[in-house]
Amino acid sequence: MTPFTFSTTPSVVFEAGASRRLGKLAGRKLGARVLVVTDPGLRKLGLCDNAIRSLEEEGIAVTVFDAVEADPSLATLNKAVEAGRAASISGVVGFGGGSSLDVAKLTALLVGSGEALNDAWGVANAKGPRLPLALVPTTAGTGSEVTPVSIITVGEEEKRGVSSPVILPDIAVLDAELTLGLPPAITAATGVDAMVHAIEAYASMSANNNPLSKMLARQALQLLGANIETAVHNGKDIAARGAMLLGSMLAGQAFANSPVAAVHALAYPIGGTFHVPHGLSNALVLPHVLRFNAPEAAHLYAEIATDAFPKLDGGEGVQGLCAAFIEELASLSQRLGLPPRLRDVGIGEAHLAKMAFDAMKQTRLLVNNPRTLGEADALAIYKAAW
């Protein structure tokens, strides 16, 4: 068997209402002065109030940084680090979607280690140590609470990442109650994002693709495929919300160790340039990238087709089942109410060539793709998606 390494968050709590006990669950680990990293919308809604109160009840001094935006910028990260240093923090809590969790990860690293961010970019370059870190996701999509990756927008358009087990948190708290208020569009986009994580992890050409990641990816697709439409159309269904949150986490564990590929590589220019949410960016190119990959990956997609969609009976052979899987994913996005084409999110045809050029910068992702993809291929995919 091929050697592999599997790293994940050492402690995961899955329990409706668990965020109200954050102080009991993580307070001792976090120390006496904690920075809570979140976004202004969640702060205004009061969604993190119970978690903050629980920390304070344990005698912890809490500083709140609530300026995280979607696709967080380097400037935002620097402000979070400054806030942490000014408060002499002993630990960090990330509370929110993937953006808040990503900023929390790097804040814990940079405050805890003092290392320069420019030395940490890339794979396995962050040295640490980091401060104690707890992550509380409020969306079911990124799986950031169990991934060693943080993505930051640098400049106007470029996204850069830090990937290192050093930034895995000490504890992830999965509380489905926090996801009950998510609007249908966000639920749909983040849910498809989680499905993409599982699909790309399963088919990844990474040398570290491994049996654990494949098993987790399949379990994630079973949960996500069975519950995403209910979660979108009946957002108060706590069972469906919990299944989505767990499926997202399992997909996160899978791709954290068997990295994603061209769907994400082609999604990044959409988000970075046009500020389309990451999950929707993935959904817009997903079926087109899978069709491109099919000549090399049909057998892999066929293996997971009925995990996500049991109604696909598997009686059509590998090629037929692969094609049916891809069409069902495209149909799912439409049933969820997501925009189907790039033009529907304000992207002009004239922008496609620049996007294809920018996608080629994502070398750390493209190397994992089942089929070699060049700039001309990326442009053809964007044209198909336009």
Side-chain angles (χ1 to χ4, degrees):
M1 185 172 291
T2 305
F4 67 89
T5 299
F6 189 91
S7 301
T8 193
T9 301
S11 180
V12 175
V13 176
F14 175 80
E15 175 192 335
S19 64
R20 297 196 297 265
R21 299 194 296 115
L22 183 61
K24 295 288 187 185
L25 293 169
R28 183 173 297 181
K29 181 72 175 179
L30 293 168
R33 296 174 303 280
V34 169
L35 181 72
V36 173
V37 177
T38 189
D39 68 62
L42 293 181
R43 185 70 165 141
K44 185 176 181 180
L45 290 170
L47 208 60
C48 48
D49 288 354
N50 287 329
I52 292 171
R53 188 177 303 114
S54 75
L55 292 167
E56 292 173 338
E57 288 172 352
E58 296 300 310
I60 296 169
V62 176
T63 300
V64 178
F65 179 82
D66 60 2
V68 179
E69 76 277 35
D71 299 312
S73 66
L74 181 58
T76 296
L77 171 61
N78 288 335
K79 289 176 184 177
V81 170
E82 290 170 8
R85 288 175 175 156
S88 300
I89 57 171
S90 57
V92 178
V93 172
F95 192 104
S99 296
S100 292
L101 303 194
D102 281 5
V103 171
K105 288 176 181 177
L106 290 185
T107 300
L109 172 71
L110 298 177
V111 176
S113 68
E115 65 186 291
L117 180 58
N118 282 339
D119 294 333
W121 293 126
V123 179
N125 291 324
K127 301 297 187 291
R130 60 153 175 77
L131 294 179
L133 176 64
L135 298 181
V136 186
T138 60
T139 61
T142 67
S144 186
E145 67 276 6
V146 290
T147 71
V149 179
S150 176
I151 304 296
I152 300 296
T153 302
V154 179
E156 289 297 316
E157 299 178 359
E158 183 185 359
K159 289 175 178 282
R160 299 189 70 182
V162 173
S163 177
S164 169
V166 171
I167 60 173
L168 281 167
D170 299 289
I171 183 172
V173 178
L174 278 62
D175 179 355
E177 289 183 358
L178 298 175
T179 68
L180 290 174
L182 278 176
I186 296 176
T187 302
T190 55
V192 171
D193 188 23
M195 296 183 77
V196 172
H197 292 155
I199 294 165
E200 292 209 286
Y202 191 87
S204 178
M205 292 296 105
S206 166
N208 201 57
N209 198 339
N210 61 85
L212 289 175
S213 288
K214 285 185 175 292
M215 175 185 68
L216 291 164
R218 298 189 75 158
Q219 179 66 59
L221 286 173
Q222 290 169 26
L223 288 166
L224 297 165
N227 289 279
I228 188 169
E229 292 187 69
T230 300
V232 168
H233 299 302
N234 181 16
K236 296 300 182 183
D237 188 317
I238 191 71
R241 290 290 194 180
M244 292 299 295
L245 197 56
L246 182 57
S248 170
M249 188 271 289
L250 296 174
Q253 289 179 318
F255 90 85
N257 295 279
S258 177
V260 292
V263 176
H264 276 72
L266 269 66
Y268 280 142
I270 299 172
T273 303
F274 298 96
H275 306 293
V276 175
H278 174 66
L280 177 55
S281 299
N282 275 333
L284 286 165
V285 297
L286 172 61
H288 308 284
V289 173
L290 297 194
R291 289 188 190 107
F292 172 83
N293 287 344
E296 299 294 335
H299 63 292
L300 296 170
Y301 298 150
E303 286 170 4
I304 57 176
T306 55
D307 290 319
F309 307 111
K311 70 179 183 180
L312 302 178
D313 62 18
E316 305 173 17
V318 168
Q319 298 297 332
L321 189 54
C322 170
F325 175 57
I326 295 170
E327 293 309 311
E328 189 65 20
L329 285 167
S331 175
L332 174 65
S333 288
Q334 294 189 15
R335 295 198 302 272
L336 297 176
L338 294 174
R341 310 196 69 82
L342 294 175
R343 68 184 72 180
D344 298 324
V345 295
I347 297 175
E349 190 173 14
H351 295 107
L352 302 185
K354 173 65 162 51
M355 289 163 52
F357 176 81
D358 289 343
M360 293 301 100
K361 299 175 184 177
Q362 300 297 328
T363 54
R364 70 179 180 88
L365 304 178
L366 291 171
V367 71
N368 302 316
N369 203 56
R371 183 181 177 191
T372 301
L373 186 150
E375 187 174 340
D377 302 313
L379 180 58
I381 290 169
Y382 283 137
K383 286 182 175 179
W386 189 78

